[in-house]
Amino acid sequence: MSKYQAIADDLKKKIIQGEYALDAAIPSELHLQKNYAVSRHTVRQAIALLVNEGYLRAEKGSGTYVDNAYLAPAATIPVKENKTFGVIITYLSDYIFPSIIRGLEKTLRQQGYSLLLASTNNDHQQERECLEKMLDYGVQGLIIEPTKSNQYNPNIALYVKLREQKIPMVMINAAYEELALPSLCVDDTQAGFLATELLIKEGHQQLLFIAKIDDLQGKYRLKGFIQACETYDVLFASEDIITYTTETRKEIYQQVLTRLNQKAVTGIICYNDQIASRLLDVLEEQHFQVPQAISLIGNDNASVSKVGKVKLTTLEHPKEKMGVDAANWLIQAIETQQEPPSILYEPKLIKRDSTRKIR
């Protein structure tokens, strides 16, 4: 049982037993925080739950008071329309995610909806906490970026519960294959293919591919790399595929350098621009000039790809458009009571300074 649920149950017991009288103010948040040795956020979650259940009522500018609305028949309890959507994303303020959120927020605000944001940091336990928070709040729909989508997810049963409650859900960037939920994704297999094809057509035969293997995007981009190599008869060894997870990201740069000391690599395809940008610095520190010695390509057309003396060749990610489309998808699902189709965005190459033709 979560901490806020335990606190809510204890407060509920005191209300039922008359320890807190009808219309009396309950203790302050600070008092409850000290009494239960929890954070203010946890106290607020417990209070919000009891307000929703009719044991408490919050009066603006005054406080929170004991109520008896929970005794009334369900049909007589006034119901306020909740025009709030929940958005669960891996990272809120990093990389391409602020642009996605900007598209979401702008569109929902225009349509009279509000946004409840939560971040999982690509961690399953934090994802569970986010989902429980959304359930407690009573959001009308959910936009979710899956957490470690290429691994078994211990929260699948919770997603099934949400689906049984008829809460519309749409996934962005990836989808849990076990659930077959609607999704808005870039064609990552095609992205991996196009990045690899570009280097091959520019004369590169000795390639490395860096893949993030705990997310489906990495799995599909690797699939595209393999397809391009097979299409153009380019051979690669198992050591030419360097993999990492959320937790091991910092280790890959040394692995790349180790492989470069073993093989005359001329082109590297990176999982995304974040990896490519950092790798560019590491390579130049070790006197591997980009693109003179090694061509480098990223993915997502993030802002980091456009800064520095060497601008990254990359692939487009719709970012803000994906946010707009996800918001419109959810609004349509709510208003029509029917799920719109999934969207698959076609990737597009953006050629800049970090790749070049060789003989």
Side-chain angles (χ1 to χ4, degrees):
M1 180 186 296
S2 61
K3 289 181 180 179
Y4 71 85
Q5 182 68 63
I7 296 169
D9 288 347
D10 189 51
L11 292 173
K12 189 187 301 183
K13 179 181 176 182
K14 291 177 179 178
I15 291 170
I16 293 170
Q17 292 177 346
E19 188 172 336
Y20 295 148
L22 179 64
D23 295 326
I26 65 168
S28 68
E29 287 183 359
L30 183 59
H31 179 90
L32 293 173
Q33 184 182 344
K34 291 179 178 178
N35 188 43
Y36 292 105
V38 296
S39 68
R40 179 169 290 186
H41 174 69
T42 301
V43 169
R44 287 176 177 171
Q45 284 183 294
I47 291 172
L49 183 58
L50 293 180
V51 169
N52 285 337
E53 292 180 358
Y55 290 88
L56 297 175
R57 68 176 184 276
E59 296 185 4
K60 189 174 181 181
S62 176
T64 305
Y65 298 86
V66 176
D67 204 351
N68 62 356
Y70 68 94
L71 296 173
T76 66
I77 299 176
V79 177
K80 295 181 180 179
E81 183 182 5
N82 184 1
K83 296 193 72 174
T84 301
F85 288 152
V87 178
I88 299 175
I89 204 162
T90 51
Y91 304 101
L92 292 179
S93 59
D94 192 22
Y95 197 49
I96 63 173
F97 303 108
S99 296
I100 296 173
I101 293 167
R102 185 163 56 249
L104 279 166
E105 193 171 33
K106 178 177 65 177
T107 306
L108 293 177
R109 186 172 61 250
Q110 289 171 349
Q111 297 296 322
Y113 290 86
S114 59
L115 200 60
L116 183 62
L117 282 170
S119 169
T120 69
N121 292 306
N122 219 28
D123 176 82
H124 285 137
Q125 178 56 39
Q126 292 186 51
E127 180 189 46
R128 169 170 287 276
E129 292 168 4
C130 291
L131 288 167
E132 289 174 343
K133 175 184 176 183
M134 298 299 176
L135 272 170
D136 291 341
Y137 192 86
V139 295
Q140 200 173 5
L142 279 169
I143 297 166
I144 301 159
E145 184 189 31
T147 293
K148 295 183 177 177
S149 51
N150 198 34
Q151 293 183 354
Y152 168 71
N153 189 328
N155 300 322
I156 289 297
L158 194 50
Y159 280 104
V160 172
K161 179 181 178 181
L162 285 162
R163 192 156 58 180
E164 287 173 348
Q165 292 184 10
K166 308 298 183 185
I167 297 175
M169 289 182 285
V170 63
M171 300 274 175
I172 60 172
N173 286 327
Y176 293 124
E177 294 179 317
E178 302 92 331
L179 293 174
L181 286 169
S183 62
L184 283 69
C185 301
V186 175
D187 187 340
D188 285 301
T189 301
Q190 182 67 2
F193 184 94
L194 290 174
T196 310
E197 181 183 54
L198 171 68
L199 292 183
I200 293 172
K201 286 186 173 181
E202 289 191 337
H204 300 273
Q205 296 283 308
Q206 306 301 317
L207 301 175
L208 284 187
F209 189 89
I210 300 174
K212 189 173 190 288
I213 57 170
D214 52 353
D215 289 326
L216 277 177
Q217 297 98 308
K219 171 184 174 180
Y220 293 143
R221 290 170 191 178
L222 174 57
K223 181 180 178 182
F225 167 78
I226 294 170
Q227 287 180 355
C229 288
E230 290 179 339
T231 299
Y232 292 97
D233 295 322
V234 172
L235 299 177
F236 63 90
S238 58
E239 295 82 6
D240 296 329
I241 298 174
I242 295 173
T243 63
Y244 73 100
T245 65
T246 301
E247 293 75 20
T248 64
R249 185 179 71 179
K250 293 181 180 178
E251 300 171 13
I252 61 172
Y253 307 107
Q254 185 55 52
Q255 294 178 47
V256 170
L257 294 177
T258 298
R259 188 57 180 157
L260 293 181
N261 288 326
Q262 298 167 345
K263 179 179 178 177
V265 172
T266 64
I268 302 176
I269 303 103
C270 298
Y271 170 72
N272 64 14
D273 293 334
Q274 199 172 44
I275 296 297
S277 177
R278 173 62 183 138
L279 182 58
L280 192 153
D281 292 338
V282 170
L283 290 174
E284 297 207 334
E285 286 169 6
Q286 298 297 317
H287 309 294
F288 292 98
Q289 295 299 309
V290 176
Q292 292 84 356
I294 296 176
S295 284
L296 195 63
I297 185 166
N299 203 326
D300 295 332
N301 193 26
S303 57
V304 70
S305 69
K306 307 164 194 172
V307 299
K309 64 178 182 179
V310 179
K311 312 296 188 292
L312 287 172
T313 295
T314 185
L315 291 109
E316 184 60 85
H317 184 290
K319 294 187 279 296
E320 189 164 338
K321 176 173 172 52
M322 179 180 280
V324 170
D325 290 345
N328 284 328
W329 188 101
L330 210 49
I331 292 168
Q332 186 178 341
I334 294 291
E335 294 179 351
T336 67
Q337 297 296 301
Q338 292 184 341
E339 290 186 343
S342 296
I343 298 175
L344 188 65
Y345 302 96
E346 287 296 317
K348 185 180 78 170
L349 269 168
I350 300 172
K351 184 79 166 66
R352 295 199 183 105
D353 309 332
S354 65
T355 54
R356 74 178 186 99
K357 290 183 178 180
I358 61 173
R359 291 183 181 179

